[in-house]
């Protein structure tokens, strides 16, 4: 299977309605260029600021989420698959960092709640996502019109076991909506995308918001959304400004790479193994 994927590295404003209509127009542009899969970034409907996230939380289960309604309409209108970045989701008195996957019929095919919350303590800089969000409780892999896709949100990329699990369950591609910051982005963002792709011999797509240098935020975004192939090759990428990165995915290359280097066969399952405690969602 061969298709175009678009990563919408959008500039996020403090006004939700503007973000929703802006995301809609980026999706339209990507679909008009022939993209069959469109990925949005982590926290595209509001700024990624722990101070204001709660005010923007939406109830996805009650079907009263303006962000997800827009994604559903867009997916059905253009007949595409959308990995809907993430939004703050309120559910059962808790807040989650949640990604929905929409199919070409506009239905939600999967919902992934961020599993690993980003708590960071660097000299002079700390960030605690776990003070605001609750933890998701399982991996998410979904069968779509554009292949089998594993979902992780940003910090989820740092935990190789999650990606290994997706590979074991047959993923062709892992999508990571993310929002790495200036302290971690330069050294780690691309390194981790390439590592997950190479470890598991699959495609990795990582989509960030654009950096807003003027924003008075507690979190400056790194940007650099990219598509990486199974040999660690960067297929398409960008800088830190708003952009829609379009790349071509050809899944036949997965088989070639897996034959070139049959890592699955060469693994020493007699010495080490991944224990899967999840229910198989
Ligand atoms: N949003 C995040 O999870 C950020 C992250 O992981 C980082 O390194 O920055």
């Amino acid at each position: 299977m061969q298709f175009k994927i678009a990563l919408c590295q959008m500039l996020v404003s403090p006004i939700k309605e503007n973000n929703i209509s802006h995301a809609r127009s980026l999706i339209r542009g990507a679909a008009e260029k022939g993209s069959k899969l469109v990925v949005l970034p982590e926290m595209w409907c509001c700024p990624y600021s722990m101070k204001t996230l709660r005010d923007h939380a939406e109830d996805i289960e009650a079907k009263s989420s303006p962000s997800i309604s827009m994604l559903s309409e867009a997916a059905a209108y253009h007949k595409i698959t959308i990995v809907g970045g993430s939004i703050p989701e309120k559910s059962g008195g808790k807040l989650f960092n949640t990604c929905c996957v929409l199919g070409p019929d506009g239905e939600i095919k999967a919902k992934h709640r961020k599993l690993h919350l980003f708590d960071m303590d660097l000299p002079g800089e700390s960030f605690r996502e776990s003070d605001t969000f609750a933890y998701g409780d399982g991996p998410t892999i979904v069968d779509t019109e554009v292949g089998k896709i594993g979902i992780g949100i940003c910090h989820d990329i740092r935990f190789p076991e999650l990606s290994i699990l997706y590979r074991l369950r047959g993923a062709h591609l892992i999508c990571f909506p993310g929002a790495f910051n200036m302290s971690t982005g330069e050294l780690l963002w691309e390194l981790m995308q390439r590592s997950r792709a190479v470890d598991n011999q699959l495609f990795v797509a990582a989509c960030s918001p654009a950096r807003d240098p003027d924003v008075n935020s507690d979190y400056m975004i790194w940007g650099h959304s990219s598509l990486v192939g199974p040999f660690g090759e960067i297929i398409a990428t960008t800088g830190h400004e708003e952009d829609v990165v379009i790349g071509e995915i050809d899944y036949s290359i997965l088989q070639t790479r897996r034959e070139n280097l049959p890592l699955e066969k060469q693994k020493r399952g007699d010495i080490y193994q991944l224990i899967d405690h999840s229910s198989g969602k």
Side-chain angles (χ1 to χ4, degrees), residues 42 48 114 118 129 154-155 158 179-181 184 219:
E42 182 178 30
Y48 187 51
K114 190 170 184 176
F118 182 56
E129 213 181 16
C154 205
H155 196 42
R158 281 203 173 78
F180 267 44
N181 67 75
T184 55
Y219 198 88

Side-chain angles (χ1 to χ4, degrees), residues 1-140:
M1 182 190 292
Q2 248 175 294
F3 64 94
K4 274 188 193 159
I5 176 175
L7 313 174
C8 298
Q9 179 164 300
M10 69 177 269
L11 192 60
V12 177
S13 87
I15 301 162
K16 186 190 277 188
E17 298 70 47
N18 294 355
N19 293 324
I20 292 178
S21 58
H22 188 41
R24 182 68 186 85
S25 75
L26 295 179
I27 294 169
R28 181 175 303 109
E32 283 169 3
K33 288 192 177 132
S35 308
K36 291 289 169 217
L37 173 61
V38 174
V39 186
L40 293 183
E42 182 178 30
M43 288 305 147
W44 59 270
C45 76
C46 62
Y48 187 51
S49 160
M50 295 304 125
K51 292 181 194 140
T52 55
L53 273 172
R54 208 169 277 281
D55 306 334
H56 296 284
E58 302 183 27
D59 188 339
I60 297 171
E61 280 149 11
K63 297 199 185 304
S64 61
S65 158
S67 300
I68 303 304
S69 301
M70 180 280 283
L71 296 182
S72 163
E73 176 278 315
Y77 183 84
H78 297 293
K79 301 200 176 6
I80 56 172
T81 299
I82 298 181
V83 173
S86 79
I87 65 164
E89 178 199 10
K90 57 181 172 198
S91 173
K94 293 182 182 165
L95 207 63
F96 296 94
N97 186 340
T98 301
C99 172
C100 289
V101 180
L102 294 296
D105 56 0
E107 293 297 315
I108 298 179
K109 292 182 83 98
K111 194 170 83 169
H112 179 78
R113 290 172 169 164
K114 190 170 184 176
L115 296 174
H116 306 90
L117 296 178
F118 182 56
D119 292 348
M120 166 188 95
D121 257 315
L122 290 176
E125 202 185 348
S126 70
F127 191 82
R128 287 193 60 80
E129 213 181 16
S130 65
D131 287 345
T132 305
F133 288 117
Y135 291 88
D137 64 1
T140 306

